[in-house]
């Protein structure tokens, strides 16, 4: 297939999936905010924030490093089978460790201890992602498999939510329905693996440990990225009333819905950048999408009161200012992602990507400590802090790119100085 057509196809499929990621939660969000009390919705959002960390730990950066390994091994079927098998075992090993960590967290955080069954069922959804093999299909540029599987998985959970979740007493159905959708998705994935003649062949424990070691740099970067969002939710739950978690989570979900459009662009060009290293692609993406993103940010600011009331209801109107304060995150989130793995990553500068993110994560954590110490911890101040750190992350990555572009000791491929 023509390279341009292949890139366009994969990007469009990822766009479709991320539209589904945006639309499907927004279908149930207005429903859940109305049938659940604000405190119960805050609890659900809090547990989901914890599960973000658990998901990052179980993934351990394999969505990036695994995609690269698969892309490089795609022409060797034996090596391909070995990569898939080793990553699967590595993630299952990490899942066991993750369960131990979760049990300890439940004893430390009362909000988890008092809802431990809900927490365990939510974690089972995380474990089931080990069998979805997203990195395989991304590395092979078969994004349509991921898209179809996701739509089926989440579509089932969304549809059944309206039938089974009617009040606070029904919140266990939320992870149960996710589990059901995940199991069906896993079955569909294994059918696809059989068609592709992908065979799981387990190797020595040394191979598994090496996979974990090789992906550690990416994992640290991803943890730092998640620290920006999930850590904020956890801190809010510790120091502020649970309703503040609900307001923060609602605003954040709207911002995340907008950022869902970024992912197909980034993931669509990443495998192609690994192979071609054509950095003119990055320049073209910036020229096309930055004006669109600016218009989207302006629209979000003025439409924030209406968006909050439509999605959350009148009881969430106080979240309007939080949503508006998070708009810088919406804008700079795109450049941060684009300047990361598709740019610095394919130059072999994974450590620089991680360093930038670790620095800004440290600044975010330091900022939270200062706010707590000064007695100024509010969701509005956390929102402004989050926007500032996202801006810093973009600037740091851009400085690295600018330096490597003009250094004579690095081959920047087809990146011109125009």
């Amino acid at each position: 297939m023509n390279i341009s057509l292949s890139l366009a196809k994969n990007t469009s499929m990822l766009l479709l999936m991320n539209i589904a990621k945006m639309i499907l939660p927004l279908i149930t969000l207005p429903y859940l905010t109305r049938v659940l009390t604000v405190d119960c919705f805050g609890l659900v959002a809090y547990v989901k924030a914890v599960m973000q960390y658990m998901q990052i730990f179980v993934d351990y950066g394999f969505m990036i490093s695994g995609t690269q390994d698969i892309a490089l091994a795609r022409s060797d079927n034996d090596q391909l089978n070995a990569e898939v098998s080793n990553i699967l075992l590595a993630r299952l090993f990490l899942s066991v460790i993750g369960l131990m960590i979760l049990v300890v967290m439940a004893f430390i955080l009362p909000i988890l201890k008092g809802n431990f069954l809900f927490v365990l069922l939510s974690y089972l959804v995380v474990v089931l992602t080990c069998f979805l093999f997203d990195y395989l299909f991304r590395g092979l540029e078969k994004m349509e498999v991921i898209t179809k599987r996701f739509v089926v998985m989440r579509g089932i959970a969304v549809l059944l939510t309206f039938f089974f979740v009617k009040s606070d007493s029904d919140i266990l159905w939320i992870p149960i329905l996710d589990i059901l959708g995940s199991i069906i998705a896993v079955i569909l994935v294994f059918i696809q693996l059989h068609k592709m003649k992908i065979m799981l062949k387990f190797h020595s424990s040394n191979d598994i440990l090496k996979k974990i070691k090789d992906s550690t740099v990416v994992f640290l970067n991803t943890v730092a990225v998640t620290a920006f969002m999930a850590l904020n939710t956890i801190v809010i739950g510790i120091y502020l009333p649970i309703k503040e978690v609900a307001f923060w989570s609602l605003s954040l979900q709207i911002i995340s819905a907008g950022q869902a459009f970024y992912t197909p662009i980034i993931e669509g060009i990443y495998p192609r950048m690994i192979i071609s290293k054509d950095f003119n692609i990055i320049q073209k993406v910036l020229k096309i999408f930055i004006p669109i993103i600016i218009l989207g940010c302006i629209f979000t600011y003025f439409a924030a009161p209406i968006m909050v009331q439509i999605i959350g209801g009148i009881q969430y109107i106080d979240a309007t200012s939080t949503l508006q304060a998070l708009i810088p995150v919406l804008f700079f989130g795109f450049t941060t992602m684009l300047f990361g793995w598709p740019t610095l990553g394919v130059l072999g500068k994974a450590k620089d990507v991680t360093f930038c993110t670790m620095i800004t994560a440290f600044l975010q954590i330091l900022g939270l400590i200062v706010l707590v110490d000064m007695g100024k911890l509010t969701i509005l101040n956390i929102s402004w802090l989050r926007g500032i750190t996202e801006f810093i992350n973009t600037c740091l990555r851009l400085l690295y790119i600018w330096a490597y572009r003009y250094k004579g000791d690095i081959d920047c491929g087809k990146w011109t100085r125009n």
Side-chain angles (χ1 to χ4, degrees), residues 65-360:
S65 64
T67 296
Q68 181 171 341
D69 292 340
I70 296 298
L72 296 175
R74 60 196 300 173
S75 59
D76 185 337
N77 196 59
D78 288 337
Q79 183 63 30
L80 190 62
N81 291 336
E83 296 289 353
V84 173
S85 303
N86 289 333
I87 294 174
L88 173 61
L89 279 183
R91 294 188 67 195
L92 290 175
F93 172 71
L94 293 167
S95 297
V96 175
I97 298 177
L99 178 60
M100 297 177 185
I101 295 172
L102 189 62
V103 171
V104 173
M105 289 179 64
F107 279 100
I108 296 174
L109 300 174
I111 192 173
L112 299 184
K113 187 176 182 179
N115 301 276
F116 194 58
L117 180 57
F118 180 73
V119 172
L120 282 180
L121 290 173
S122 299
Y123 185 66
L124 181 55
V125 179
V126 173
V127 175
L128 286 172
T129 63
C130 294
F131 301 97
L132 297 179
F133 304 101
D134 278 9
Y135 54 88
L136 168 65
F137 300 113
R138 290 177 183 180
L140 296 177
E141 298 184 273
K142 292 183 177 293
M143 311 304 183
E144 69 276 6
V145 176
I146 301 174
T147 301
K148 293 175 183 177
R149 184 220 69 212
F150 176 82
V151 171
V152 169
M153 177 177 69
R154 295 301 306 151
I156 290 172
V158 166
L159 179 63
L160 295 180
T161 295
F162 296 102
F163 291 94
F164 290 94
V165 182
K166 302 293 184 181
S167 66
D168 290 1
S169 61
D170 298 324
I171 62 168
L172 285 181
W173 279 107
I174 295 175
I176 289 173
L177 296 177
D178 284 337
I179 291 169
L180 176 62
S182 297
I183 290 174
I184 294 173
V186 168
I187 293 172
L188 294 176
V189 166
F190 271 87
I191 292 173
Q192 185 65 32
L193 292 180
H194 178 71
K195 291 179 180 178
M196 296 168 59
K197 298 182 179 180
I198 300 292
M199 305 290 293
L200 298 177
K201 297 180 179 180
F202 302 115
H203 297 268
S204 68
S205 58
N206 289 334
D207 292 331
I208 298 169
L209 293 175
K210 185 177 184 302
K211 277 292 170 194
I212 295 175
K213 179 182 177 182
D214 291 344
S215 195
T216 297
V217 172
V218 184
F219 166 69
L220 292 175
N221 178 77
T222 312
V223 166
V225 170
T226 308
F228 288 139
M229 293 298 189
L231 179 62
N232 293 328
T233 306
I234 292 173
V235 170
I236 291 169
I238 294 173
Y239 289 98
L240 299 176
I242 194 66
K243 70 174 184 178
E244 298 291 310
V245 177
F247 293 158
W248 167 262
S249 298
L250 181 76
S251 302
L252 200 58
Q253 195 151 351
I254 295 172
I255 293 295
S256 298
Q259 290 183 322
F261 287 103
Y262 303 164
T263 306
I265 302 168
I266 304 303
E267 294 182 350
I269 67 174
Y270 179 60
R272 183 54 51 192
M273 288 292 294
I274 293 173
I275 297 170
S276 69
K277 291 185 172 59
D278 184 357
F279 291 93
N280 287 307
I281 294 175
I282 303 297
Q283 297 174 345
K284 292 176 182 177
V285 167
L286 285 171
K287 291 177 182 177
I288 293 171
F289 289 101
I290 288 298
I292 298 174
I293 292 171
I294 291 174
L295 291 175
C297 290
I298 294 172
F299 172 80
T300 302
Y301 181 85
F302 288 105
I306 299 174
M307 295 169 70
V308 167
Q309 290 189 60
I310 291 176
I311 296 174
I314 190 64
Q315 66 269 34
Y316 285 86
I317 192 63
D318 289 342
T320 298
S321 57
T322 302
L323 175 58
Q324 291 172 328
L326 282 170
I327 287 175
V329 179
L330 181 63
F331 179 80
F332 290 111
F334 178 75
T335 49
T336 296
M337 293 170 66
L338 187 65
F339 295 155
W341 299 110
T343 308
L344 287 172
V346 300
L347 285 174
K349 302 299 178 181
K351 291 183 179 179
D352 293 332
V353 177
T354 301
F355 176 77
C356 293
T357 310
M358 293 288 285
I359 289 295
T360 44

Side-chain angles (χ1 to χ4, degrees), residues 38-67:
V38 174
D39 285 353
C40 186
F41 179 76
L43 165 66
V44 173
Y46 193 83
V47 172
K48 285 189 176 182
V50 173
M51 289 308 127
Q52 278 187 269
Y53 273 109
M54 292 294 100
Q55 187 69 67
I56 294 299
F57 182 74
V58 171
D59 286 346
Y60 208 80
F62 287 121
M63 292 305 148
I64 297 293
S65 64
T67 296

